[in-house]
Amino acid sequence: METRELYLSIASGRRGGAVAFVTLNALRPASYLYGGILWTRGLLYRHGVLPTVRLPLPVISVGNITLGGTGKTPLIEFLARFLTERGKKVAILSRGYAGTNGTSDEFMEFRERLPHVPFLLGKDRLASARTAIEEFHPQCLLLDDGFQHWGLARDLDIVVIDTLSPFGSGHLLPAGTLREPPSSLKRAGLFVLSRTNLCPPERLQDIKGHLLHLSSSTPIIETVHHPLYLEGMNGNRVEVSYLNGKKTFAFCGLGNPASFEKTLQLQGADVVGFKSFSDHHHYTPEECKALTSEAIGLGAEAIVTTCKDRVKLVGAYSNTPLQDNDWPLPFFALRIAMRITRGQEALASALRRILP
């Protein structure tokens, strides 16, 4: 188990025992310090001591308050498509997590899925915004992971909340997985609940009730990660029903790997083996061979990963993209899209207010 994965398993509460108990108690003072820094930073921005820059065009932020994957990337893609289909020119700004080639998995995936939408990667989001305005002349900017980015004014703050782990472990970093306390959700303009189909109905109502208690006027939008099709390394597409009853070995490098496994099981896959890596993991040729060997040893009939991982497998064996025949078993990535199941008019109304 990698160090980051071990830490997340402890901080999220998934891993118990004496080592976890000692680790969390040792980290608790640092969480109090972190909370104090957050409070002071917010105070300085609210009172204008630290500057917030407002751009001459609408900025929509998509963020969260927890570590791990909540579904920001599918929502960014949904918004980009929603706006471009209505004639709006958009650009996406992301801090990103750089890979070995200086890009990020989000960058590679968006370039593949939305080749005509500018995607600017950089830690300085203000500089990226100015570059986007000068070079691409967008009518709107989508700020990926921007809820904690106070330096850039937003016209709409969308916070994505994963219903499988809505408020993390209840503790701030580093003794927990909260990037901000739940009270910070009062700043949000919209709540987007992700993976609601994987959440028990009574639990979903509890989450919504808690959000209404925090901010009764903030609209709540419910979404699911809807499987579209299976995609081979060569780009060939297969119906998701292919997995029904199929002995499947799966792997991924996500912030919330359990959601991927549950999604496969809902499609009828017989998941005989599942391997998770840390979020934004980049695979080596040795790891690919080890995954294949493990799948064969478990009697798997197919290997499945996510599209986010698929783009990072390019060049894992060589400097050319992997082909389907590089895997001795049928190999696919599951293509998903965010689908709104309740509250689409609330989202459309919020977008119309800032983008008539």
Side-chain angles (χ1 to χ4, degrees):
M1 183 177 290
E2 297 181 13
T3 302
R4 188 175 187 273
E5 188 178 346
L6 175 62
Y7 162 72
L8 287 175
S9 68
I10 292 175
S12 65
R14 297 195 306 268
R15 185 185 182 95
V19 173
F21 178 80
V22 171
T23 301
L24 292 177
N25 278 282
L27 293 174
R28 205 79 72 192
S31 290
Y32 296 135
L33 176 61
Y34 175 69
I37 293 172
L38 283 179
W39 183 86
T40 303
R41 180 172 176 265
L43 185 69
L44 294 174
Y45 272 110
R46 283 192 297 271
H47 288 275
V49 178
L50 293 177
T52 297
V53 177
R54 179 162 292 280
L55 297 172
L57 76 172
V59 176
I60 300 172
S61 165
V62 175
N64 60 12
I65 63 166
T66 59
L67 286 181
T70 57
K72 294 192 306 296
T73 300
L75 179 57
I76 288 280
E77 180 181 342
F78 176 91
L79 290 171
R81 291 187 185 279
F82 186 91
L83 293 170
T84 55
E85 287 169 2
R86 285 154 181 79
K88 304 297 183 183
K89 294 178 64 177
V90 302
I92 300 169
L93 311 179
S94 176
R95 182 182 185 278
Y97 293 84
T100 55
N101 58 355
T103 64
S104 73
D105 41 29
E106 296 97 344
F107 174 85
M108 292 186 286
E109 191 171 3
F110 275 114
R111 185 175 59 183
E112 183 177 85
R113 296 285 289 161
L114 300 168
H116 302 299
V117 175
F119 186 99
L120 288 84
L121 191 68
K123 293 181 180 180
D124 188 340
R125 249 76 73 87
L126 180 57
S128 294
R130 287 171 172 157
T131 299
I133 293 170
E134 292 173 4
E135 295 186 8
F136 302 106
H137 313 291
Q139 296 166 286
C140 175
L141 295 175
L142 297 177
L143 183 61
D144 178 30
D145 198 15
F147 194 55
Q148 290 79 33
H149 192 72
W150 289 63
L152 192 58
R154 279 93 68 182
D155 298 88
L156 178 62
D157 254 318
I158 303 175
V159 177
V160 185
I161 297 168
D162 182 4
T163 56
L164 298 182
S165 182
F167 309 110
S169 60
H171 297 286
L172 289 171
L173 292 167
T177 54
L178 281 173
R179 303 167 71 180
E180 289 192 72
S183 59
S184 67
L185 292 172
K186 296 175 182 177
R187 304 198 315 266
L190 284 175
F191 295 132
V192 172
L193 302 183
S194 65
R195 304 186 178 100
T196 57
N197 58 320
L198 304 182
C199 179
E202 61 277 7
R203 176 59 174 155
L204 181 60
Q205 291 305 314
D206 288 343
I207 295 169
K208 292 166 68 175
H210 189 64
L211 292 174
L212 287 170
H213 177 73
L214 286 170
S215 182
S216 60
S217 62
T218 305
I220 298 175
I221 297 165
E222 298 178 29
T223 70
V224 298
H225 282 28
H226 177 67
L228 297 177
Y229 50 83
L230 297 169
E231 186 172 2
M233 295 302 292
N234 295 337
N236 58 304
R237 296 181 181 182
V238 175
E239 295 290 331
V240 179
S241 58
Y242 168 87
L243 295 176
N244 190 18
K246 190 82 65 178
K247 290 183 179 180
T248 304
F249 179 86
F251 69 95
C252 66
L254 298 176
N256 189 345
S259 65
F260 178 53
E261 185 176 12
K262 288 183 179 180
T263 298
L264 293 175
Q265 291 169 341
L266 284 176
Q267 308 314 308
D270 178 12
V271 182
V272 296
F274 187 84
K275 178 76 172 177
S276 64
F277 296 85
S278 61
D279 200 9
H280 307 289
H281 182 77
H282 285 261
Y283 299 92
T284 65
E286 292 72 25
E287 287 171 332
C288 291
K289 293 174 183 176
L291 289 167
T292 302
S293 297
E294 187 173 350
I296 293 173
L298 292 170
E301 300 171 278
I303 300 175
V304 181
T305 189
T306 72
C307 286
K308 178 179 176 180
D309 291 286
R310 176 182 174 273
V311 295
K312 291 179 291 186
L313 289 168
V314 173
Y317 282 125
S318 66
N319 291 325
T320 59
L322 288 173
Q323 304 297 314
D324 286 329
N325 55 15
D326 288 324
W327 301 83
L329 294 174
F331 178 89
F332 299 101
L334 179 65
R335 176 70 67 185
I336 63 99
M338 179 167 278
R339 175 174 290 178
I340 295 177
T341 57
R342 181 173 296 178
Q344 177 145 343
E345 180 52 37
L347 174 62
S349 177
L351 294 175
R352 280 196 299 267
R353 283 196 297 272
I354 63 174
L355 279 166

